[in-house]
Amino acid sequence: MIRHRPPEELLLGYAAGTLPEPLALVIAAHAALCPESAEEILRLESVGGGLLAGIDPAALESGALERTLAALEHGDRPAPAALSPTPETRALLPPPVWPYVKGNLLSVQWRRRGFHIETAPLVADGAHRTAFLLRVTGGHPVPHHTHKGAELTLVLAGAYSDAGVSYSPGDIQVADPTIDHRPVAKPGEDCICIVALEAPLRFTGPIGRFANPFVKL
Amino acid sequence: MLTEAATALILADPAAPNARLRRPMIDSAANPRSAASAPGGSDKMGALLAAVAARRDRAAFAELFAFFAPRIKAYMMRSGAAADLAEDLAQEAMIQVWRRAESFDPSRAAASTWIYTIARNKRIDRLRRERQPLLTEEEYLGAMGEPERGDMAAERRETESSIARSLDALPEDQAIVVRLAFYEDKSHADIAAELSLPLGTVKSRIRLALNRLRGIIEDRVR
């Protein structure tokens, strides 16, 4: 059961199309796992539909319809080949993420970030906002860190706890820049998450500070 | 001219529970400017889309085009596109409506919602040069488990005209933040800067407006 859902501002941002792509990816992946959030997005999109129907129209240039009809004559572009993800991709990743790994989880480039931490990039925009997969060995922490911007974490497998709160598959944690935290993966299973960052992390612990120059998340 | 219900809404205490406000808005006579009485009445648009999907019906497409293309152009211009780019994007979006008409599922969303998502994704693709991670119909269905009943969808379609009406009826300070959030690709922080308002005020106005709109939607869907 999903216990931690994103704040409405983020669902609205997805529906309105104003979220940067890395954040939108995490929200879409969450919504694919959470019927309640998916339904909420659809409701907010129907607000968008109502707004579009009610907007004051802008006059088109003359001949716009004829030009568009002529463009239809050029034949339907062949539909892009349907993405058929590999079984291990399907097992771990929700559908919105499939295109970001080209349908193949094995194609992602895992990089070691610490003794028990690996990451694999999914998407980055030009403003240091990124989304990546994070794998933490069961029972181990992500060192103390803080952020300049928001950090969105969606659990895909395993679980972790942060300041006494546990997060399980489908749950989203939103950490704002005021939080200095040290999430710990639950013992047993590796914890795999999708994380989106609005700005690079800053590690604050003694080891973390040393690692900063090497960590480009 | 304000309808009686709209006046009641504007005069109402924003903190009052939505339940008190919902009924009058829905049952009120349609505002003449709203989508309900415009050619955008959703069932008709859905039927036109179905005709395009079933038999590549060009006359149906021309009707869809006449209603939506000028509105998509206006939406693109509000998002910062110059007029000629907005015109191109409106045509491209309508071409996509033609090509993807088969994937329109009237049991999921109204025609204008589906076309809105096409226009939105086109805007992100062309104006921001990013892509919108897609929640396709199948993906939604996967997340939803059971496909929903058709009558729920019909009720949701009705809500769109209610939404257009209630947007007209929202207090201006709330309507403006919702329009900025949806149309102009503005983050809450941008809106706060533009209106010289504290961020918290922008957030609470958006929340108030959405609560009202959502009250209407939920009333109809449940």
Side-chain angles (χ1 to χ4, degrees):
Chain A
M1 195 190 88
I2 291 171
R3 275 168 304 181
H4 302 286
R5 299 183 49 237
E8 177 158 64
E9 179 176 357
L10 291 170
L11 298 175
L12 171 64
Y14 179 88
T18 52
L19 284 186
E21 187 173 352
L23 278 67
L25 175 60
V26 175
I27 293 300
H30 160 78
L33 300 171
C34 177
E36 215 179 320
S37 292
E39 181 66 16
E40 180 75 18
I41 286 174
L42 194 54
R43 285 188 185 134
L44 291 166
E45 286 176 341
S46 71
V47 172
L51 282 163
L52 181 66
I55 200 172
D56 285 337
L60 299 178
E61 286 161 29
S62 64
L65 174 62
E66 291 68 25
R67 278 194 297 281
T68 306
L69 287 171
L72 301 180
E73 295 291 350
H74 296 311
D76 293 353
R77 250 178 302 175
L83 191 65
S84 61
T86 61
E88 59 271 24
T89 308
R90 217 175 255 281
L92 181 69
L93 301 179
V97 191
W98 296 346
Y100 292 82
V101 300
K102 300 184 177 64
N104 185 0
L105 185 59
L106 301 180
S107 76
V108 304
Q109 304 272 319
W110 288 101
R111 274 177 258 169
R112 194 157 281 287
R113 298 299 184 182
F115 294 118
H116 300 285
I117 302 174
E118 288 173 289
T119 63
L122 294 173
V123 61
D125 71 6
H128 304 292
R129 289 180 287 233
T130 56
F132 54 90
L133 294 171
L134 169 72
R135 180 158 65 197
V136 181
T137 312
H140 290 273
V142 174
H144 265 292
H145 63 277
T146 179
H147 340 92
K148 282 193 204 137
E151 175 192 74
L152 284 184
T153 307
L154 168 69
V155 183
L156 298 174
Y160 73 90
S161 64
D162 189 8
V165 180
S166 352
Y167 298 88
S168 306
D171 283 340
I172 257 191
Q173 182 184 20
V174 181
D176 71 32
T178 61
I179 293 176
D180 184 336
H181 64 158
R182 180 178 174 272
V184 183
K186 290 264 168 72
E189 194 184 346
D190 284 0
C191 181
I192 303 177
C193 302
I194 305 184
V195 182
L197 295 178
E198 275 194 311
L201 289 188
R202 258 165 25 90
F203 285 95
T204 48
I207 297 172
R209 230 187 316 264
F210 173 73
N212 264 338
F214 305 102
V215 182
K216 278 200 198 147
L217 291 179
Chain B
M1 194 186 70
L2 293 172
T3 61
E4 195 185 323
T7 311
L9 181 66
I10 289 168
L11 297 179
D13 171 11
N18 279 333
R20 269 182 41 212
L21 304 174
R22 278 178 211 157
R23 273 304 160 199
M25 280 194 293
I26 292 160
D27 297 339
S28 66
N31 176 324
R33 286 203 295 122
S34 79
S37 55
S42 306
D43 281 321
K44 182 181 176 201
M45 292 294 150
L48 292 171
L49 262 180
V52 170
R55 46 178 192 281
R56 308 274 99 188
D57 185 329
R58 287 176 167 247
F61 179 77
E63 273 195 71
L64 286 167
F65 188 94
F67 183 76
F68 282 107
R71 285 168 173 78
I72 297 172
K73 181 177 180 181
Y75 166 70
M76 296 298 179
M77 289 174 72
R78 290 215 195 179
S79 298
D84 45 352
L85 177 59
E87 173 110 5
D88 287 350
L89 294 178
Q91 292 187 30
E92 285 179 25
M94 290 308 297
I95 290 171
Q96 209 158 349
V97 166
W98 171 269
R99 291 197 170 128
R100 297 188 41 212
E102 291 86 352
S103 69
F104 169 65
D105 176 357
S107 72
R108 292 294 306 154
S112 57
T113 297
W114 185 73
I115 292 176
Y116 161 73
T117 61
I118 286 179
R120 175 198 65 191
N121 296 348
K122 176 70 63 187
R123 173 176 68 70
I124 292 169
D125 181 44
R126 293 291 301 277
L127 299 185
R128 283 220 321 253
R129 302 193 185 286
E130 291 190 354
R131 52 183 167 163
Q132 175 86 335
L134 287 184
L135 292 165
T136 64
E137 301 299 66
E138 298 89 316
E139 288 155 7
Y140 265 123
L141 288 176
M144 307 279 305
E146 292 290 295
E148 68 182 342
R149 290 172 294 119
D151 53 334
M152 277 174 73
E155 285 165 9
R156 187 188 286 122
R157 274 200 302 279
E158 277 180 51
T159 61
E160 272 188 27
S161 46
S162 308
I163 286 167
R165 274 206 296 287
S166 17
L167 274 165
D168 286 340
L170 278 181
E172 189 53 28
D173 61 348
Q174 291 175 28
I176 194 167
V177 291
V178 170
R179 293 205 165 92
L180 285 169
F182 264 96
Y183 282 154
E184 304 194 3
D185 206 357
K186 297 265 164 65
S187 70
H188 293 192
D190 293 339
I191 295 170
E194 184 168 324
L195 302 178
S196 310
L197 288 171
L199 183 57
T201 306
V202 169
K203 288 187 177 187
S204 64
R205 281 186 191 170
I206 288 179
R207 185 164 304 124
L208 278 173
L210 288 178
N211 280 345
R212 287 186 179 187
L213 297 172
R214 194 176 36 233
I216 298 157
I217 298 167
E218 284 175 356
D219 240 24
R220 306 300 287 183
V221 171
R222 280 173 188 168

